[in-house]
Amino acid sequence: MYEFTIIVPVYNEEDNLERVEKELLAYTKIASKKTAILFVNDGSKDNSQSLIETICARNEAFHYISFKENHGLSAAIKAGFDHVESPLVGYIDSDLQTAPEDFNLLLQHIGEYDLVTGVRANRKDSFVKNMSSKIANGIRRAFTHDGMDDTGCPLKVIKTDYAKRIPMFKGLHRFLPAMILLQNGRILQVPVQHFPRIAGTAKFGLWNRLLGPLMDCFAYLWMKKKYINYEVKDKG
């Protein structure tokens, strides 16, 4: 029924969810593909789940899954990948620092590529956050050679059959382009808008934005060495 599903990971975002509903509902009316929305509630301890259920009850294209407890962003994205049935899948953060309408920019290229990711142009974050992200991206590129400038950008579109084959672990949401390359897929980055957070609190600090990803790079190298990728030549 749907061509594209947008995963929205949620952790304690009750102050943002009505705005998320409004903007994503508006996007579904202008989307270049017939679009569904999938909330993944990552064990929120505030009123997020109640709001999600209300939103989904009044919008046919909105659905949700809810974790028993908090497992982190990578787990929420992985659960979304596991549950979607549309041929294309994407995700956006519930803080809406990126614009849903920019999905149309990414979808323009997804026919030729297997993952298209946004690059946050003119970022509206603090100096410390911008610099730590820039350093972390530089380190990651040195390990993965994926050529991507901003893998932390929470705006991506992936062909679902590629997304479902990604062996996700904690922290590997930053390595999605590299994981597509391991499948011999093609990747592209496209500039997108960025806005300051206007509600809720950031879930990542200096440790999990800089030092954590450095450790994850070594996990990626191990995975790359052990990764199984095959093509079936014939069957009968």
Side-chain angles (χ1 to χ4, degrees), residues 4 27 32-33 88-92 98-119 153-158 188-193:
F4 178 43
Y27 173 69
S32 57
K33 305 283 186 183
L88 298 173
V89 61
Y91 78 89
I92 188 171
T98 48
E101 60 263 29
D102 283 349
F103 274 120
N104 282 350
L105 298 176
L106 309 187
L107 288 167
Q108 290 177 15
H109 304 280
I110 197 61
E112 185 178 356
Y113 294 89
D114 304 300
L115 175 146
V116 184
T117 181
V119 179
C153 179
L155 201 73
K156 291 179 173 62
V157 176
I158 313 173
L188 178 71
Q189 56 184 2
V190 175
V192 297
Q193 304 173 83

Side-chain angles (χ1 to χ4, degrees), residues 96-99 101-102 122 124-125 193-197:
L96 286 183
Q97 287 192 256
T98 48
E101 60 263 29
D102 283 349
N122 192 22
K124 305 298 183 182
D125 290 323
Q193 304 173 83
H194 191 248
F195 307 93
R197 176 186 270 270

Side-chain angles (χ1 to χ4, degrees), residues 1-4 6 43 51 56-57 59 79 81-83 87 90 94 105 107 127 139 164 172 186-187 205 223:
M1 180 177 178
Y2 294 101
E3 301 171 278
F4 178 43
I6 300 172
L51 288 169
C56 292
N59 295 287
F81 289 169
D82 289 344
H83 284 79
S94 49
L105 298 176
L107 288 167
F127 174 79
I139 294 170
K164 287 182 179 294
L172 281 188
R186 301 188 66 194
I187 61 177
M223 191 179 309

Side-chain angles (χ1 to χ4, degrees), residues 63 113 129 131 171 174 226 234:
H63 313 274
Y113 294 89
K129 188 174 182 179
M131 286 305 298
R174 302 180 184 89
K226 302 291 186 178
D234 195 9

